[in-house]
């Protein structure tokens, strides 16, 4: 059978290439594909490193091309009367049909092969995920096979090629329309999902995402089988005598009918399979990760995930509902009986709608929809509820979707990263529920509370009373802990101060004093240890028992993995006058987007760091733009680091002010921050980094018009906005290896003092490209050159510049040997206090940190500000998440909570193209045009050479030579 089919295939392919049919087919396919890719879908304007524009129009394009290809396959045979000859040959009709089918499919495969330069080109200018590419090509072959089988059947039914062409387009178009948004918009979610199961285009889209589902592949194979069977039945009828129906004929027809029914019924049976797919995407972004499974394994009671989706919603959101349903079904499978998933339409369940509104605050969202008759508003639900115990989180459509602005062509909507949003919500409700329960039950082992406290005769009176409160509290908590908390008191001054020397070397604990001029020295330090890590318990400023309890419990939570971590966030305070911001006169930096992002996964405490106290419950300290940092604020940072904490600092010696009418920079380094960093082995050069690999931004520029200077906003490449990607992100650290790009603006190079960082672990995080340089100029507004580009001349110090670094190890305090800045002179204290009672002062300076202390430095004060993130989003046409993802990854890395780190940056639009000038973009576009023409030329030359070889062989045979 195979040999006969291949002979027919070669014969049909020869007839294709013997006429202009094959070249017209290939040329039309490539021309339309290139037009759609570069013009209709504006590939470079999308700025996404994928080839979805190539496949988005493939279902429609293949309808017309396959119809033109198959219209003559049987119709021509019938019109010329050669079909009777074919039916009488000693070759079965099945062999002939299979040969014609493979000939058409081979021509389509050749056309797809000629488009391969497109993804190869994209892989050179962006981080292309090849999984969806191979999925797209596989889907195109299966779709083409289904269309070819339909075309062959309809061609066998008529002797008119035009009728065959039109009928093939019509039938294939019906299959495409069944799952298209044009038709599914008239039905609810359930009806739309059923239609999408029947549509050839919707099945195709599912595979081009990079998910190879057995059910989708079988759908196309079933269409091939159905129309193959019907075509064979039509051909067999031509062989039967007209007017006579033999029992064998009826049996053959019944067999075909049963075969068709079984092929179609197989689709219904396969829909029951839950794991019949393979995720080809890099990182398996459409499959739940091991991190999610780990969180689900920690569930102690049922978790409810409920989807609130209206039957009528916005047409751009409707296709996302089935994908959310598939994802949640995987959650249910992974969680077993502990995870309950349900989907409801609140508008059809009034009781559940009332509960959603009153208990969870879930409201319908008005969407504007339009059909060919009118435009109207539809109040629709598109939310997910995650509930665990008495804790719940609600995800609305803004949390779940990602919008890419497509210029004048509208918007493109995709699911952002639903697994990350769901898993972080599960983590938050689960840890929040544990936070209200028994803290000691979640401890993995016993914990020792150690008090390094001097004898009572050396302590001030208020600390003697406080010591009694400590002993009482430790006794109470010890009973609650049931053996998991042990309290030990040690006197550092005993045995000649041997312990005092030890804790001074190990922890940096130095003698305290009760006032600036008090001559008594004593110890009063508290630590918690589980045998692996040892943390200091901060003493409450008011020295009250209840506040000590809160401080102690907050530190205990750091030994449990089942609690949300607490971040202390110190950022500049916004302008006090709201009218300044309204009229564009507010030059202060705002970090609301950063705060909102951090609150998704952590408890965030915003505070005034210049008061000198970091919140006791803080697990990590984030300080951004410390331009106004005073001595007390620096002391707070230093002592938090000395206690073994992690400090993340975003600082720069420059203050940049960007408004609607100006862009100015001032060199105003904070001397305190500068000296403190140098003491830690780090320094910021008083220059800014410029990089040829950068992001364009709308920058106010000056244009000379006949001697008149005109200020205008223009999109120009801006070297001060460094686009860090590829080799600029440390591939050996989990913090950066999962990122695709980070934009960091107005950054300064970081210098390392190898002598002071010796013995510490130094990890670089961000680097500029090798084509970067530095400049000390304060004029940041680019002036346009004659070619319309920004006039920036590269400097002489070309090379990589360090922009982000993490140093871990034992640090010495900047305040070592100095009095605590928190102590005030008595006369100042008297002026500040108007009441008879005042909180006692305690001088505590920790001289040295443990090995666990970590300092993370980013050399830009602005890259996390709202203004920078908004500018980046306006240019990219989507939300800028690279910098925020970097911060979150760094937090998880520092807090040793890597659960969400692996799935955070798996969004659809996270893979962006390299920054390219317009000239380079045109070069890549024209290169693809040339490669496609070259491919066609190779096909033509190959056919000509093969034809000559065949002709020569036949000539030799005719001449009697071998």
């Amino acid at each position: 059978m195979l040999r006969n089919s291949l002979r027919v295939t070669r014969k049909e392919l020869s007839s294709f290439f013997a006429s202009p049919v094959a070249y017209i087919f290939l040329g039309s396919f490539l021309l339309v594909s290139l037009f759609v890719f570069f013009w209709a879908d504006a590939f470079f304007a999308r700025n996404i490193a994928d080839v979805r524009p190539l496949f988005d129009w493939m279902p429609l394009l293949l309808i017309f091309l396959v119809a033109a290809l198959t219209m003559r396959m049987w119709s021509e045979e019938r019109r010329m009367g050669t079909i009777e000859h074919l039916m009488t040959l000693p070759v079965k009709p099945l062999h002939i049909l299979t040969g014609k089918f493979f000939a058409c499919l081979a021509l389509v495969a050749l056309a797809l092969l000629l488009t391969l330069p497109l993804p190869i080109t994209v892989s050179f200018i962006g981080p292309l995920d090849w999984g969806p590419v191979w999925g797209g090509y596989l889907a195109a072959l299966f779709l083409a096979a289904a269309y070819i089988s339909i075309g062959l059947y309809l061609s066998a039914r008529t002797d008119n090629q035009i009728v065959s062409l039109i009928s093939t387009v019509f039938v294939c178009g019906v299959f495409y329309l069944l799952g298209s948004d044009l038709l599914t918009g008239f039905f609810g979610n359930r009806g739309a999902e059923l239609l999408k199961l029947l549509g050839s285009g919707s099945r195709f889209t599912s595979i081009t995402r990079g998910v190879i589902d057995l059910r989708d592949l079988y759908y196309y194979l079933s269409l091939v089988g159905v129309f193959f069977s019907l075509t064979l039945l039509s051909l067999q009828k031509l062989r039967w005598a007209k007017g006579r129906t033999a029992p064998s004929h009826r049996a053959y027809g019944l067999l075909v009918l049963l075969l068709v029914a079984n092929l179609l019924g197989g689709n219904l049976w396969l829909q029951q399979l839950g794991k019949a797919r393979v995720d080809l995407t890099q990182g398996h972004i459409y499959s739940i990760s091991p991190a999610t499974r780990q969180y689900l394994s920690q569930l102690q009671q049922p978790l409810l995930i409920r989807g609130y989706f209206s039957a009528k919603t916005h047409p751009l959101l409707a296709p996302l509902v089935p994908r959310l349903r598939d994802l949640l079904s995987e959650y249910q499978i992974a969680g077993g009986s502990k995870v309950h998933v349900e989907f409801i339409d609140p508008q059809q369940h009034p009781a559940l709608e009332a509960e959603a509104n009153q208990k969870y605050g879930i409201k319908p969202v008005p969407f504007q929809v339009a059909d060919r008759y009118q435009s109207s508003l539809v109040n629709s639900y598109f939310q997910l509820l995650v509930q665990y115990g008495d804790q719940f989180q609600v995800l609305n459509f803004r949390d779940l979707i990602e919008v890419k602005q497509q210029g004048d062509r509208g918007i493109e909507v995709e699911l952002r990263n639903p697994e990350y949003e769901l898993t972080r919500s599960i983590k938050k409700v689960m840890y929040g529920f544990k936070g209200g329960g028994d803290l000691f039950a979640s401890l993995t082992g016993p914990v020792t509370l150690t008090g390094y406290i001097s004898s009572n005769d050396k302590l001030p009176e208020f600390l003697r009373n406080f010591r009694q409160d400590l002993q009482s509290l430790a006794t109470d908590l010890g009973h609650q802990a049931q053996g998991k908390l042990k309290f030990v008191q040690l006197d550092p001054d005993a045995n000649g101060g041997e312990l005092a020397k030890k804790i001074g070397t190990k922890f940096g604990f130095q003698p305290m004093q009760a006032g600036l001029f008090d001559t008594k020295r004593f110890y009063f330090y508290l630590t918690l240890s589980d045998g692996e890590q040892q943390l200091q318990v901060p003493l409450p400023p008011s020295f009250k028992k209840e506040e000590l309890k809160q401080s102690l419990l907050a530190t205990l939570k750091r030994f449990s993995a089942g609690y949300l971590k607490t971040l202390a966030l110190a950022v500049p305070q916004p302008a006090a006058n709201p009218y300044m911001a309204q009229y564009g006169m507010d030059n202060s930096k705002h970090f609301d987007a950063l705060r909102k992002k951090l609150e998704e996964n952590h408890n965030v405490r915003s505070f005034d760091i210049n008061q000198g106290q970091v919140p006791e419950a803080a697990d990590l300290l984030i300080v951004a733009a410390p331009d106004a940092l005073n001595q007390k604020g620096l002391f707070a940072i230093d002592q938090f680091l000395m206690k073994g904490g992690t400090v993340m600092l975003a600082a720069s010696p420059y203050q940049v002010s960007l408004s609607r009418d100006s862009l100015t920079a001032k060199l105003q380094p904070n001397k305190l921050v500068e000296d403190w960093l140098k003491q830690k082995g780090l320094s910021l050069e008083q220059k800014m980094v410029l990089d040829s690999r950068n992001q364009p931004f709308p920058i106010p520029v000056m244009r000379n018009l006949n001697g008149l200077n005109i200020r205008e906003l223009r999109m120009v490449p801006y070297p001060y906005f460094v686009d860090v990607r590829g080799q600029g992100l440390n591939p050996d650290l989990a913090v950066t290896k999962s990122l695709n790009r980070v934009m960091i603006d107005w950054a300064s190079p970081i210098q390392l003092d190898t002598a002071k960082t010796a013995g510490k672990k130094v990890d670089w995080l961000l680097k500029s490209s090798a084509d970067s340089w530095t400049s000390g100029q304060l004029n940041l507004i680019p002036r346009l050159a004659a070619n319309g580009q920004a006039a920036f001349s590269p400097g002489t110090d070309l090379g990589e510049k360090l922009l982000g670094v993490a140093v871990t190890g034992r640090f010495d305090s900047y305040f070592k040997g100095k009095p605590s800045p928190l102590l005030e002179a008595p006369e100042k204290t008297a002026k500040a206090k108007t009441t008879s009672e005042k909180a006692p002062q305690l001088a505590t300076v920790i001289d040295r940190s443990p090995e666990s202390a970590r300092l993370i430095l980013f050399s830009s004060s602005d890259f996390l500000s709202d203004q920078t993130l908004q500018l980046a989003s306006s240019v990219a046409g989507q939300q800028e998440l690279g910098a925020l993802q970097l911060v979150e990854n760094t937090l998880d890395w520092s807090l040793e909570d890597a659960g969400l780190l692996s799935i955070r940056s798996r969004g659809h639009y996270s893979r962006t193209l390299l920054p390219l000038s317009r000239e380079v973009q045109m070069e890549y576009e024209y290169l693809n045009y040339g490669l496609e023409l070259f491919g066609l030329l190779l096909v033509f030359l190959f056919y000509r050479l093969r034809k000559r070889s065949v002709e020569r062989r036949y000539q030799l045979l005719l001449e009697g030579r071998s």
Side-chain angles (χ1 to χ4, degrees):
M1 171 186 173
L2 182 60
R3 180 179 300 177
N4 292 333
S5 299
L6 291 179
R7 287 175 178 173
V8 176
T9 300
R10 287 195 295 268
K11 178 258 182 188
E12 294 294 340
L13 284 175
S14 298
S15 65
F16 279 141
F17 285 99
S19 66
V21 172
Y23 301 105
I24 292 175
F25 173 82
L26 295 175
S28 301
F29 181 84
L30 296 176
L31 179 63
V32 175
S33 297
L34 289 172
F35 174 79
V36 168
F37 191 82
F38 288 111
W39 291 77
D41 277 336
F43 168 71
F44 288 109
R46 288 179 73 246
N47 195 35
I48 305 297
D50 63 11
V51 290
R52 287 186 60 189
L54 176 65
F55 298 112
D56 282 347
W57 293 84
M58 195 71 73
L60 277 176
L61 177 61
L62 286 178
I63 288 176
F64 296 97
L65 294 180
V66 168
L69 197 63
T70 59
M71 68 178 184
R72 57 174 290 276
M73 299 301 289
W74 293 109
S75 299
E76 184 71 8
E77 303 281 3
R78 297 189 63 168
R79 187 182 66 84
M80 298 184 65
T82 56
I83 193 168
E84 288 82 1
H85 174 68
L86 286 176
M87 294 298 102
T88 57
L89 289 175
V91 180
K92 296 181 179 180
L94 176 60
H95 300 172
I96 302 174
L97 176 59
T98 305
K100 290 179 178 290
F101 172 81
F102 282 133
C104 295
L105 189 61
L107 199 57
V108 173
L110 178 60
L112 293 173
L113 180 64
L114 291 176
T115 64
L116 198 56
L118 274 176
I120 293 177
T121 301
V122 174
S123 68
F124 282 107
I125 58 178
L128 177 65
D129 185 354
W130 280 95
V133 177
W134 301 130
Y137 280 117
L138 181 66
L141 283 175
F142 274 80
L143 178 64
Y147 284 168
I148 289 170
S149 64
I150 295 174
L152 291 175
Y153 168 69
L154 295 173
S155 178
R157 299 290 298 174
T158 179
D159 59 359
N160 190 309
Q161 296 185 31
I162 302 301
V163 172
S164 174
L165 172 68
I166 295 174
S167 58
T168 301
V169 170
F170 175 76
V171 175
C172 294
V174 168
F175 276 100
Y176 172 78
L177 287 174
L178 282 176
S180 67
D181 297 337
L182 182 64
L183 186 62
T184 57
F186 294 101
F187 300 89
N189 288 331
R190 284 295 186 181
E193 290 182 36
L194 177 61
L195 288 175
K196 286 185 179 296
L197 295 177
L198 301 176
S200 59
S202 55
R203 294 276 194 172
F204 180 86
T205 304
S206 177
I207 302 178
T208 54
R209 291 188 295 122
V211 179
I212 308 301
D213 197 318
L214 176 62
R215 294 166 292 188
D216 294 331
L217 299 182
Y218 179 80
Y219 166 79
Y220 291 119
L221 292 178
S222 66
L223 288 181
V224 173
V226 166
F227 286 97
F228 248 61
S229 302
L230 295 177
T231 305
L232 286 175
L233 179 60
S234 299
L235 296 177
Q236 289 292 350
K237 286 183 178 180
L238 295 177
R239 305 176 66 181
W240 298 340
K242 295 183 179 180
R244 294 182 56 187
T245 304
S248 60
H249 300 167
R250 288 193 293 269
Y252 191 90
L254 181 60
L255 179 62
V256 170
L257 181 62
L258 290 174
L259 180 60
V260 169
N262 279 277
L263 288 171
L264 296 177
N267 288 282
L268 299 176
W269 180 79
L270 285 176
Q271 284 304 124
Q272 303 173 8
L273 297 181
K275 289 187 175 181
R277 65 176 202 162
V278 177
D279 191 346
L280 298 180
T281 58
Q282 186 176 351
H284 305 293
I285 65 175
Y286 295 110
S287 303
I288 61 174
S289 63
T292 297
R293 298 180 186 275
Q294 180 182 1
Y295 284 121
L296 294 177
S297 66
Q298 299 175 20
L299 295 173
Q300 301 297 322
Q301 60 178 334
L303 171 75
L304 171 65
I305 306 178
R306 179 183 293 164
Y308 294 90
F309 297 102
S310 298
K312 183 72 172 178
T313 188
H314 195 282
L316 292 177
L317 298 179
L320 307 180
V321 177
R323 290 165 55 182
L324 286 173
R325 192 187 299 274
D326 291 342
L327 178 64
L328 292 183
S329 66
E330 292 197 37
Y331 273 79
Q332 190 166 25
I333 294 172
S337 60
K338 292 293 180 64
V339 178
H340 179 64
V341 176
E342 58 185 35
F343 280 73
I344 64 169
D345 182 354
Q347 294 166 339
Q348 295 181 3
H349 299 82
L352 291 177
E353 183 176 19
E355 179 192 41
N357 280 259
Q358 298 170 10
K359 184 176 181 180
Y360 306 117
I362 297 176
K363 309 284 185 183
V365 180
F367 294 109
Q368 184 172 2
V369 297
D371 55 26
R372 60 195 183 102
Y373 297 109
Q374 63 179 354
S375 176
S376 61
L377 284 176
V378 174
N379 291 312
S380 174
Y381 287 88
F382 195 94
Q383 290 98 351
L384 284 174
L385 169 70
V386 180
Q387 184 176 20
Y388 186 77
D390 59 350
Q391 302 291 314
F392 67 88
Q393 285 280 302
V394 176
L395 301 174
N396 57 39
F397 76 97
R398 291 184 180 87
D399 299 316
L400 297 171
I401 68 171
E402 196 167 11
V403 179
K404 171 69 177 178
Q405 184 67 39
Q406 297 293 315
D408 297 335
R409 296 178 294 109
I411 60 175
E412 183 180 352
V413 177
E414 262 288 348
L415 288 176
R416 174 183 295 169
N417 191 345
E419 184 193 359
Y420 170 72
E421 297 296 338
L422 277 167
T423 302
R424 75 160 181 85
S425 297
I426 292 172
K427 173 187 174 183
K428 194 166 187 177
V429 297
M430 184 169 61
Y431 286 6
F433 179 75
K434 287 183 179 180
D438 185 3
L439 169 62
F440 298 103
S442 62
L443 293 176
T444 56
V447 177
T448 301
L449 172 63
T450 305
Y452 298 98
I453 305 173
S454 299
S455 59
N456 283 339
D457 59 322
K458 294 184 179 181
L459 294 178
E461 183 179 355
F462 71 92
L463 283 183
R464 295 175 199 160
N465 299 329
F466 187 63
R467 182 178 195 166
Q468 295 178 1
D469 293 337
L470 170 63
Q471 292 172 340
S472 173
L473 178 62
T475 302
D476 295 341
L477 293 179
H479 292 311
Q480 296 180 27
Q482 297 180 354
K484 285 190 175 182
L485 178 64
K486 180 182 179 182
F487 179 46
V488 177
Q489 293 190 71
L490 301 174
D491 185 357
D493 297 318
N495 300 324
E498 181 180 349
L499 180 59
K501 295 178 182 179
K502 183 177 180 180
I503 62 176
T505 303
K506 185 176 182 180
F507 304 117
F509 292 165
Q510 298 299 317
M512 300 178 179
Q513 62 187 96
L516 188 60
F517 301 109
D518 195 332
T519 57
K520 288 186 176 181
R521 298 293 185 269
F522 55 88
Y523 289 87
F524 203 109
Y525 292 96
L526 299 176
T527 64
L528 278 171
S529 174
D530 64 351
E532 295 182 1
Q533 62 173 336
Q534 193 158 6
L535 303 175
Q536 184 180 358
V537 180
L539 299 180
S542 61
F543 298 95
K544 293 181 179 179
K545 181 178 180 180
E546 189 59 34
E547 292 185 2
L548 175 62
K549 180 179 180 180
Q550 297 301 323
S551 180
L552 182 58
L553 293 179
T555 309
L556 273 171
K557 288 182 179 180
R558 298 173 66 179
F559 291 92
S560 172
Y563 289 87
L564 291 179
K565 303 300 182 181
T566 299
L567 309 179
L569 179 63
V571 296
Q573 298 297 317
N577 190 348
Y579 294 100
M580 294 179 63
Q582 181 179 354
Y583 292 101
M585 297 183 292
D586 180 11
N587 293 325
S588 60
K589 296 180 177 66
H590 297 264
F591 294 86
D592 295 333
L594 172 63
R595 182 182 293 105
K596 182 179 179 181
K597 194 67 179 176
L598 295 177
E599 288 174 348
E600 291 180 354
N601 303 314
H602 307 90
N603 292 321
V604 179
R605 301 278 184 89
S606 297
F607 71 107
D608 183 3
I609 196 170
N610 283 334
Q611 296 297 320
Q613 292 287 342
V614 178
E616 293 84 358
D619 297 288
L620 188 142
L621 174 62
I622 302 176
V623 182
D627 302 329
L629 192 73
N630 62 17
Q631 190 86 358
K632 289 184 177 180
L634 185 65
F635 181 74
I637 297 175
D638 181 86
Q639 292 299 287
F640 187 85
L641 186 67
M642 293 305 106
K643 294 175 183 177
T646 297
V647 176
M648 182 187 300
L649 182 64
S652 169
Y654 290 90
Q655 293 185 14
V656 180
S657 176
L658 174 62
S659 65
R660 291 177 296 183
D661 302 319
S662 65
L663 176 57
T664 59
K666 294 181 181 179
L667 180 58
Q668 291 184 347
N670 188 308
K671 189 70 167 53
L672 292 173
V673 176
E674 195 176 54
D675 293 343
W676 185 78
L677 285 174
K678 286 183 179 178
Q679 192 255 350
K680 301 295 183 289
L682 303 172
S683 61
L684 296 172
E685 287 190 40
Q686 295 185 359
K687 294 181 179 180
M688 288 191 190
V689 178
L690 295 86
D691 200 333
S692 59
R693 177 176 290 183
N694 55 72
Q695 285 292 321
F697 275 84
I699 301 298
V701 296
M702 299 298 297
R703 182 167 61 93
N704 187 286
L705 182 61
N706 297 328
L708 178 64
N709 289 330
I710 299 177
R711 185 184 295 273
E712 61 184 11
L713 287 177
R714 187 172 299 184
M715 296 290 295
V716 296
Y718 194 53
Y720 286 101
F721 285 80
V722 181
D723 186 3
V724 182
R725 64 173 75 205
Q727 296 301 316
L729 300 168
N730 193 333
D732 299 325
L733 292 181
V735 181
T736 49
K737 71 178 182 180
S738 62
L739 294 175
N740 290 299
R741 56 176 291 272
V742 176
M743 198 279 291
I744 184 166
D745 58 339
W746 298 307
S748 299
I750 299 174
Q751 297 295 330
L752 295 175
D753 188 334
T754 55
K756 293 182 179 180
T757 57
K760 302 180 180 68
K761 188 175 186 299
V762 179
D763 296 300
W764 70 270
L765 302 176
L766 304 178
K767 286 182 181 179
S768 61
S769 74
D771 296 325
S772 63
W773 67 98
T774 60
S775 172
Q777 294 185 3
L778 299 180
N779 183 10
L780 305 181
I781 302 178
R783 295 183 180 273
L784 295 185
N787 60 358
Q789 297 296 320
F792 287 100
S793 300
T796 57
D797 58 337
L798 287 176
E800 295 180 340
K801 307 294 185 292
L802 184 61
L803 304 179
V805 65
V807 182
T808 308
R810 192 181 297 276
F811 296 88
D812 290 327
S813 173
Y814 178 77
F815 295 89
K816 184 177 182 179
K818 303 176 184 178
S820 168
L822 300 183
L823 289 177
E824 298 178 351
E827 59 272 14
K828 292 184 179 181
T829 305
K831 293 179 182 178
K833 302 293 182 178
T834 58
T835 60
S836 57
E837 289 188 16
K838 61 180 173 54
Q841 292 182 307
L842 197 63
T844 306
V845 177
I846 304 175
D847 286 353
R848 203 174 189 194
S849 73
E851 292 286 349
S852 60
R854 176 175 291 161
L855 174 60
I856 301 170
L857 175 64
F858 296 109
S859 61
S860 171
S861 297
D862 295 86
F863 84 113
L864 295 173
S865 68
D866 294 347
Q867 191 174 49
T868 296
L869 296 175
Q870 289 169 3
L871 282 172
S873 300
S874 66
V875 173
Q878 66 193 69
Q879 187 177 3
E880 171 60 37
L881 296 175
L884 299 181
Q885 288 176 351
L886 170 65
V887 172
E888 287 196 301
N889 286 359
T890 307
L891 296 181
D892 289 341
W893 176 56
S894 301
L895 298 173
E896 298 181 354
D897 186 6
L900 296 177
L901 195 151
S902 60
I903 58 177
R904 178 170 289 120
S905 55
R906 303 203 300 175
H908 176 71
Y909 296 124
S910 60
R911 299 176 178 270
T912 57
L913 301 175
L914 293 174
L916 302 173
S917 65
R918 181 176 177 81
E919 290 76 12
V920 176
Q921 291 176 353
M922 294 176 64
E923 289 176 4
Y924 276 108
E925 182 178 350
Y926 294 146
L927 173 64
N928 277 279
Y929 296 152
L931 290 174
E932 304 299 358
L933 288 175
F934 181 70
L936 275 177
L937 180 61
L938 286 180
V939 172
F940 174 76
L941 293 176
F942 177 80
Y943 171 73
R944 296 297 298 177
L945 290 175
R946 177 173 173 78
K947 183 179 179 182
R948 288 185 180 181
S949 174
V950 173
E951 289 176 349
R952 180 172 178 79
R953 185 177 62 180
Y954 279 114
Q955 183 65 32
L956 292 175
L957 288 175
L958 291 174
E959 294 175 359
R961 293 183 292 172
S962 60

